[in-house]
Each structure stands twice: as structure tokens, then as C-alpha cells.
Amino acid sequence: SSGINAEWPLRPGIYNSMSTGLYKEPNLTPYVRYCVSMAVRNPTGVGPFSEEHCNRTKSAIAPAPELREVSTAADHSVIEITHPDPPKGLLVTYNVTFMDDPSNYEKRDFAVEGELKQNINISDLNSHTTYTFLVSAINSVGMVGFPQEIMVTTLESVPEAAPLL
């Protein structure tokens, strides 16, 4: 769970024998800057507030992006990626793994571009081959999001030579 730890000095002999206290607030929203200021209360009243302490919660992993095949040729495929709602963190890269069988795969990274959607062009594919593409978003702290899968079959290429008669 997301949370933030705040540490502050205590006055020994007045509150207890510890020199610092630790307070954890659970279930905070990822990638949000929180600021706290604390005061101590006793039966006589409330003491002065501390200086403000600010910290940003860590980012969370991104949900899976939506994928759609835009066009396919014999040697490449264009896939449209609808950016997932970022988990209150900046998405910077899409990691694309593609394979024609589990033992033959390749990985490529594409920078996140555009507001809502972007097209990526995967080139140097074999003709008349079915590929599985796995696409994950990576945020600014390097956390890899949930993958989305799409299958694409490239077209058959034009014959390179005339038939022998």
C-alpha cells in the first residue's frame, strides 16, 4: 500500500525518552506531494506546530494500454496505443515485446508521445507470419505496467523473381 513516513524530533524528558517519532499514514494516492505539520497536545493545551515536512508518494504501475491494429504490410505493422490513465505518475516509454513463437522474440522501446494516442511502427518483420505483441507502459521511476497483448499477421510479400517457364 502507498503511504508516507514522517519523522520529527521530540524533546526528551518532556514527551518521552525517544528523540524521534515515526508516524505512517497508509493508503495515500500515488505520486502526490503531501505536506504535514504536527503539534503535540496535552491536558493543558496544544503546543506550537512544527515546520512543514513535504514528501511525494511513489508512483504506481500503469494499467494496460489499449491496442488496435492500424495497418499491416509484408514487413511491418502499425499499432495504435491508447495511453492508459497514468497512475498519478509520468509515463515515459512503451516496452514492446514481439514474437512469432516463444523462443524467437525481440524487445523495442518507444517514447510516449501525444496526448491520448500514438502510433508505433514495428518494422523488419517476416512476411506471412503471425506475431504476438505485448505492450507495457513504463513510468518515470522505471516501474513496468501491466501488459496488453495483440496478435497481428503480416501480409504475404510480392514474389522477388519471375517464375521459370
Side-chain angles (χ1 to χ4, degrees):
S1 73
S2 293
I4 193 167
N5 290 326
E7 195 170 305
W8 67 95
L10 296 177
R11 295 184 183 148
I14 297 175
Y15 306 112
N16 62 27
S17 60
M18 296 172 39
S19 62
T20 61
L22 184 64
Y23 177 78
K24 181 169 181 160
E25 180 62 38
N27 302 318
L28 298 176
T29 304
Y31 208 69
V32 171
R33 184 173 187 251
Y34 288 93
C35 296
V36 295
S37 183
M38 300 187 91
V40 175
R41 177 188 304 262
N42 66 20
T44 308
V46 177
F49 278 89
S50 66
E51 290 183 24
E52 189 174 72
H53 174 78
C54 297
N55 203 347
R56 181 178 301 278
T57 54
K58 292 181 180 177
S59 182
I61 61 174
E66 292 181 30
L67 307 176
R68 182 178 70 85
E69 181 181 351
V70 175
S71 65
T72 300
D75 63 346
H76 72 275
S77 183
V78 177
I79 297 172
E80 177 186 80
I81 300 174
T82 300
H83 303 311
D85 288 332
K88 299 288 187 180
L90 178 63
L91 300 180
V92 293
T93 307
Y94 284 112
N95 177 268
V96 180
T97 302
F98 57 99
M99 63 196 93
D100 55 1
D101 71 62
S103 65
N104 184 26
Y105 67 92
E106 187 175 335
K107 291 185 177 189
R108 295 189 193 165
D109 289 333
F110 296 86
V112 173
E113 300 172 353
E115 292 294 316
L116 301 174
K117 299 178 181 186
Q118 82 179 69
N119 289 345
I120 59 169
N121 184 7
I122 309 291
S123 56
D124 300 324
L125 300 176
N126 296 322
S127 69
H128 202 61
T129 304
T130 299
Y131 287 91
T132 300
F133 292 88
L134 297 170
V135 180
S136 300
I138 300 174
N139 68 19
S140 59
V141 293
M143 298 172 77
V144 179
F146 294 104
Q148 183 64 279
E149 181 178 310
I150 188 172
M151 294 182 76
V152 173
T153 301
T154 54
L155 303 177
E156 191 169 355
S157 61
V158 176
E160 295 180 10
L164 297 173
L165 298 176

